[in-house]
Amino acid sequence: MASRLNPYISFDGDARQALEFYKEILGGTLALNTFGESGMADSPEADKIMHGMLETPSGFTLMGADTPPGMKYTPGGNFSVSLSGDDEAELRGYWEKLSADGTVAVPLEKQMWGDVFGMCTDRFGIPWMVNISETQA
Protein backbone atom coordinates (compact mmCIF):
# COMPACT_ATOMS: atom_id res chain seq x y z
CA MET A 1 0.00 0.00 0.00
CA ALA A 2 1.32 3.43 -0.89
CA SER A 3 1.55 5.95 1.92
CA ARG A 4 -1.33 8.41 2.05
CA LEU A 5 -1.87 11.84 3.53
CA ASN A 6 -5.38 12.93 4.54
CA PRO A 7 -7.30 14.97 7.10
CA TYR A 8 -8.38 13.30 10.33
CA ILE A 9 -11.24 15.02 12.16
CA SER A 10 -12.16 14.61 15.84
CA PHE A 11 -15.85 14.84 16.71
CA ASP A 12 -17.73 15.46 19.95
CA GLY A 13 -19.72 12.21 20.04
CA ASP A 14 -21.32 12.51 16.59
CA ALA A 15 -18.63 10.98 14.36
CA ARG A 16 -20.98 8.28 13.04
CA GLN A 17 -23.58 10.83 11.93
CA ALA A 18 -20.95 13.16 10.42
CA LEU A 19 -19.13 10.43 8.48
CA GLU A 20 -22.42 8.99 7.20
CA PHE A 21 -23.38 12.53 6.09
CA TYR A 22 -20.08 12.93 4.21
CA LYS A 23 -20.66 9.53 2.58
CA GLU A 24 -24.07 10.70 1.33
CA ILE A 25 -22.40 13.74 -0.23
CA LEU A 26 -19.15 12.25 -1.55
CA GLY A 27 -20.17 8.61 -2.10
CA GLY A 28 -17.78 5.75 -1.56
CA THR A 29 -17.13 3.16 1.08
CA LEU A 30 -17.36 3.93 4.79
CA ALA A 31 -15.73 1.69 7.42
CA LEU A 32 -16.51 2.35 11.09
CA ASN A 33 -14.91 0.78 14.15
CA THR A 34 -16.25 1.44 17.65
CA PHE A 35 -14.44 1.71 20.95
CA GLY A 36 -16.39 -1.40 22.01
CA GLU A 37 -14.93 -3.42 19.15
CA SER A 38 -11.48 -2.23 20.19
CA GLY A 39 -11.40 -3.51 23.74
CA MET A 40 -13.71 -1.06 25.56
CA ALA A 41 -16.92 -3.10 25.34
CA ASP A 42 -18.01 -2.28 28.90
CA SER A 43 -17.37 1.47 28.72
CA PRO A 44 -19.94 4.24 28.16
CA GLU A 45 -18.11 4.99 24.90
CA ALA A 46 -18.57 1.45 23.52
CA ASP A 47 -20.84 2.61 20.67
CA LYS A 48 -18.78 5.70 19.83
CA ILE A 49 -16.46 5.68 16.82
CA MET A 50 -12.79 4.92 17.57
CA HIS A 51 -11.86 5.11 13.86
CA GLY A 52 -13.80 5.79 10.69
CA MET A 53 -12.56 5.98 7.11
CA LEU A 54 -14.40 7.13 4.02
CA GLU A 55 -12.82 6.32 0.66
CA THR A 56 -14.56 7.95 -2.30
CA PRO A 57 -14.74 7.13 -6.01
CA SER A 58 -12.89 10.42 -6.67
CA GLY A 59 -9.89 9.21 -4.68
CA PHE A 60 -10.61 11.30 -1.56
CA THR A 61 -9.94 9.82 1.87
CA LEU A 62 -11.47 11.30 5.01
CA MET A 63 -10.86 9.85 8.45
CA GLY A 64 -12.47 10.71 11.74
CA ALA A 65 -13.37 9.55 15.23
CA ASP A 66 -15.11 10.59 18.41
CA THR A 67 -12.77 12.29 20.85
CA PRO A 68 -11.38 9.50 23.07
CA PRO A 69 -12.11 9.37 26.80
CA GLY A 70 -9.68 11.54 28.74
CA MET A 71 -8.96 13.87 25.79
CA LYS A 72 -10.50 17.31 25.46
CA TYR A 73 -12.63 18.17 22.42
CA THR A 74 -11.60 21.59 21.14
CA PRO A 75 -13.66 23.05 18.27
CA GLY A 76 -11.34 24.62 15.70
CA GLY A 77 -8.51 22.41 16.93
CA ASN A 78 -10.27 19.16 16.14
CA PHE A 79 -8.23 17.99 13.17
CA SER A 80 -4.91 16.32 12.48
CA VAL A 81 -3.03 15.45 9.35
CA SER A 82 -2.75 11.68 9.02
CA LEU A 83 0.11 9.80 7.37
CA SER A 84 -0.54 6.08 6.96
CA GLY A 85 0.66 3.09 5.01
CA ASP A 86 2.88 0.03 5.32
CA ASP A 87 6.27 1.44 4.29
CA GLU A 88 7.78 1.46 7.77
CA ALA A 89 11.08 3.11 6.84
CA GLU A 90 9.35 5.92 4.93
CA LEU A 91 6.78 6.60 7.63
CA ARG A 92 9.31 6.41 10.51
CA GLY A 93 11.43 8.93 8.59
CA TYR A 94 8.49 11.31 8.38
CA TRP A 95 7.77 10.77 12.09
CA GLU A 96 11.33 11.55 13.13
CA LYS A 97 11.37 14.80 11.18
CA LEU A 98 7.86 15.89 12.17
CA SER A 99 8.34 15.19 15.89
CA ALA A 100 11.82 16.77 16.06
CA ASP A 101 11.53 20.09 17.92
CA GLY A 102 7.83 19.34 18.41
CA THR A 103 5.73 17.67 21.09
CA VAL A 104 4.99 13.94 21.16
CA ALA A 105 1.53 13.14 22.57
CA VAL A 106 1.60 9.40 21.78
CA PRO A 107 4.99 7.76 21.12
CA LEU A 108 5.31 5.88 17.82
CA GLU A 109 4.85 2.30 19.04
CA LYS A 110 2.71 -0.83 18.62
CA GLN A 111 -0.93 -0.25 19.62
CA MET A 112 -3.79 -2.52 20.74
CA TRP A 113 -5.14 -2.74 17.17
CA GLY A 114 -1.81 -4.13 15.96
CA ASP A 115 -0.38 -1.18 14.04
CA VAL A 116 2.48 1.10 15.02
CA PHE A 117 0.96 4.53 15.74
CA GLY A 118 2.03 7.89 17.14
CA MET A 119 0.73 11.43 17.54
CA CYS A 120 2.79 14.59 17.63
CA THR A 121 2.52 18.31 17.09
CA ASP A 122 5.23 19.74 14.87
CA ARG A 123 7.21 22.88 15.68
CA PHE A 124 4.64 24.97 13.78
CA GLY A 125 1.72 23.76 15.92
CA ILE A 126 0.25 21.33 13.36
CA PRO A 127 -0.99 18.02 14.82
CA TRP A 128 0.09 14.83 13.01
CA MET A 129 -0.82 11.15 13.31
CA VAL A 130 1.39 8.44 11.81
CA ASN A 131 0.06 4.88 11.43
CA ILE A 132 2.25 2.06 10.10
CA SER A 133 0.26 -1.01 9.07
CA GLU A 134 1.81 -4.44 8.92
CA THR A 135 2.83 -5.31 5.37
CA GLN A 136 0.17 -7.48 3.77
CA ALA A 137 1.57 -10.83 2.61
Side-chain angles (χ1 to χ4, degrees), residues 1 7 10 13 20 24 27 47 59 64 72 82 84 108 114 119 130 136:
M1 163 183 25
S10 295
E20 288 173 349
E24 287 177 25
D47 291 331
K72 183 179 177 193
S82 172
S84 57
L108 187 66
M119 294 173 63
V130 175
Q136 302 299 317

Side-chain angles (χ1 to χ4, degrees), residues 50-121:
M50 186 198 83
H51 176 70
M53 182 166 71
L54 175 62
E55 295 181 286
T56 75
S58 298
F60 304 147
T61 300
L62 179 64
M63 294 182 189
D66 287 309
T67 302
M71 293 184 76
K72 183 179 177 193
Y73 173 77
T74 307
N78 57 328
F79 77 95
S80 295
V81 180
S82 172
L83 281 167
S84 57
D86 60 10
D87 187 329
E88 184 170 359
E90 177 185 42
L91 290 163
R92 281 188 181 277
Y94 295 146
W95 170 264
E96 293 303 322
K97 292 172 186 170
L98 288 166
S99 62
D101 299 323
T103 304
V104 173
V106 175
L108 187 66
E109 58 191 24
K110 187 104 168 176
Q111 300 296 325
M112 66 182 177
W113 61 87
D115 293 349
V116 172
F117 175 81
M119 294 173 63
C120 69
T121 300

